[in-house]
Amino acid sequence: MRDAPPTRRPADPVRPPERHWPAEVQSRLATACLGRSLIWLPAVDSTNRRLAEEADAGAPEGLVVAADGQTAGRGRLDHTWWSPPGFTLAVSILLRPAVPLDQVASLALLLGLAVRRTLQALPAGLAPQLKWPNDVWLNGRKVGGILCDMRTESGRIRHVTAGIGVNVNGARQDFPPDLRDTATSLQRTAGKPWDRAALLAALLNTLEPMYRIWER
């Protein structure tokens, strides 16, 4: 989605205090790896860029960088992802898969399936759909997207930064005018705000076993 200044900060009454985000997520985790190390930022230009820095410095697989908002979030083909504070689940996950290079292309689909299953499991009767290669849709509008950045060395995968963005809170009027008819949020579809920390934990719990099967 294109970048645009929000007309006002979307209401997020269930957002925990900033310093509590890691604890709110990790207290709900059933994972062995994903999210056990977590960096939460009140603002960042791009979670993928920040995570790549941590990966280059030797961070272990499973590190998660999440932010309340992004100032330069990216989508596919260098499109800008609109993610103001309080609105979006903006998260990047560090993966170091031991697979051939030609298998990595399917990772974006795996991540999309994990997002779809996570949203389906919410007590809201949602019916998300995937639009290949990296979009998640609700009721004919885009609600989320996937962006995987890969670094290789000597013909092997060094790491993958798996970026996921989901529009969680915000009503129709919170979107810029040029996005109101093409994008949506969980709140707009389900009629209630959602706890993004709980949603992130649910996503990581869903993704980890799927990722291990994919890797094998």
Side-chain angles (χ1 to χ4, degrees):
M1 290 185 289
R2 295 184 300 280
D3 192 18
T7 56
R8 60 185 177 88
R9 184 185 177 107
D12 190 359
V14 294
R15 184 169 53 131
E18 293 175 355
R19 64 184 183 276
H20 293 163
W21 253 78
E24 289 287 333
V25 174
Q26 292 177 326
S27 66
R28 295 176 167 96
L29 287 180
T31 61
C33 176
L34 301 189
R36 291 300 174 178
S37 296
L38 190 151
I39 297 172
W40 186 90
L41 302 167
V44 71
D45 53 356
S46 164
T47 57
N48 263 26
R49 184 204 59 77
R50 173 61 188 273
L51 184 63
E53 291 180 351
E54 298 290 336
D56 288 340
E61 182 174 68
L63 173 65
V64 169
V65 172
D68 190 32
Q70 298 180 107
T71 59
R74 293 187 299 117
R76 186 169 170 265
L77 302 177
D78 287 330
H79 293 165
T80 302
W81 183 268
W82 186 71
S83 50
F87 191 94
T88 305
L89 177 62
V91 58
S92 296
I93 306 165
L94 177 57
L95 303 175
R96 298 186 184 274
V99 300
L101 282 173
D102 60 4
Q103 186 175 328
V104 178
S106 63
L107 184 56
L109 179 58
L110 176 81
L111 294 164
L113 286 170
V115 173
R116 181 173 182 264
R117 290 183 180 181
T118 301
L119 300 186
Q120 283 179 319
L122 295 175
L126 301 178
Q129 297 178 315
L130 297 182
K131 182 179 179 182
W132 178 256
N134 70 333
D135 290 347
V136 184
W137 286 51
L138 271 176
N139 295 347
R141 296 184 177 92
K142 187 172 179 176
V143 73
I146 312 296
L147 179 66
C148 291
D149 293 323
M150 179 176 64
R151 294 196 184 181
T152 63
E153 185 176 14
S154 301
R156 293 186 176 184
I157 300 166
R158 185 174 179 184
H159 68 255
V160 177
T161 53
I164 299 173
V166 180
N167 297 331
V168 180
N169 295 314
R172 183 180 185 276
Q173 65 269 19
D174 294 313
F175 286 87
D178 62 336
L179 295 180
R180 289 174 185 170
D181 294 330
T182 58
T184 191
S185 68
L186 301 185
Q187 179 179 350
R188 181 175 173 182
T189 304
K192 57 172 285 187
W194 296 88
D195 183 336
R196 290 175 298 156
L199 186 65
L200 174 54
L203 173 60
L204 296 174
N205 288 339
T206 299
L207 174 61
E208 185 169 276
M210 296 174 63
Y211 171 66
R212 293 308 180 196
I213 293 171
W214 172 85
E215 192 177 32
R216 290 197 297 270

